[in-house]
């Protein structure tokens, strides 16, 4: 896996942490606010889906599936930044192990006996 995304995630996490620290916000409160930001991004993803399906009669089709994809990517970025802010440089390894463990459960359901990258569960 390329390390470039994690380098960018780390730089964003460090920037946001520095800015929040300069404002006098304690670490755990910073993490809480970052998770709330994630919730906002997930809500924007849902809003885009509603707009793509045109289920809000006042707005009609206000979004495309391209908008949905961008909002989902924003949620993923915000999630990884949140993880990095809490774990620092340990975030990529933590994420890889957790991804392998969780994916293995689904691979087991599918009868896929291959070990996922990172060693599995």
């Amino acid at each position: 896996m390329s390390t470039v995304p994690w380098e960018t995630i780390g730089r964003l996490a460090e920037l946001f942490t520095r800015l929040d620290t300069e404002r006098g916000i304690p670490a755990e409160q910073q993490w809480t606010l970052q998770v709330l930001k994630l919730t906002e991004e997930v809500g924007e993803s849902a809003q885009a889906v509603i707009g793509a399906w045109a289920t809000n009669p006042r707005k009609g089709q206000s979004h495309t599936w391209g908008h949905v994809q961008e909002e989902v990517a924003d949620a993923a970025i915000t999630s990884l930044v949140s993880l990095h802010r809490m774990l620092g440089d340990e975030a990529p390894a933590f994420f890889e192990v957790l991804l392998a463990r969780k994916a293995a459960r689904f691979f087991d359901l599918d009868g896929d006996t291959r070990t996922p990258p990172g060693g599995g569960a």
Side-chain angles (χ1 to χ4, degrees), residues 67-89:
H67 292 124
V68 175
Q69 293 160 358
E70 288 180 25
E71 294 300 343
V72 168
D74 284 348
I77 292 164
T78 302
S79 180
L80 294 176
V81 168
S82 299
L83 192 60
H84 202 289
R85 289 185 76 179
M86 289 184 264
L87 293 174
D89 291 337

Side-chain angles (χ1 to χ4, degrees), residues 3-108:
T3 59
V4 174
W6 278 109
E7 290 170 10
T8 304
I9 293 296
R11 289 181 59 207
L12 288 169
E14 289 168 7
L15 171 64
F16 300 150
T17 297
R18 181 177 52 81
L19 294 173
D20 284 348
T21 300
E22 288 173 359
R23 292 176 45 214
I25 301 172
E28 287 186 2
Q29 187 177 355
Q30 292 179 33
W31 304 342
T32 301
L33 294 170
Q34 186 70 36
V35 171
L36 291 175
K37 177 65 176 166
L38 172 58
T39 303
E40 176 192 6
E41 295 298 342
V42 171
E44 289 174 5
S45 299
Q47 181 181 14
V49 169
I50 290 167
W53 278 100
T55 57
N56 183 333
R58 287 185 307 107
K59 296 182 180 180
Q61 187 167 15
S62 57
H63 292 76
T64 65
W65 284 102
H67 292 124
V68 175
Q69 293 160 358
E70 288 180 25
E71 294 300 343
V72 168
D74 284 348
I77 292 164
T78 302
S79 180
L80 294 176
V81 168
S82 299
L83 192 60
H84 202 289
R85 289 185 76 179
M86 289 184 264
L87 293 174
D89 291 337
E90 295 175 26
F94 176 86
F95 180 77
E96 190 171 332
V97 167
L98 194 61
L99 175 62
R101 185 182 323 143
K102 292 187 177 280
R105 293 186 213 158
F106 289 96
F107 296 144
D108 288 346

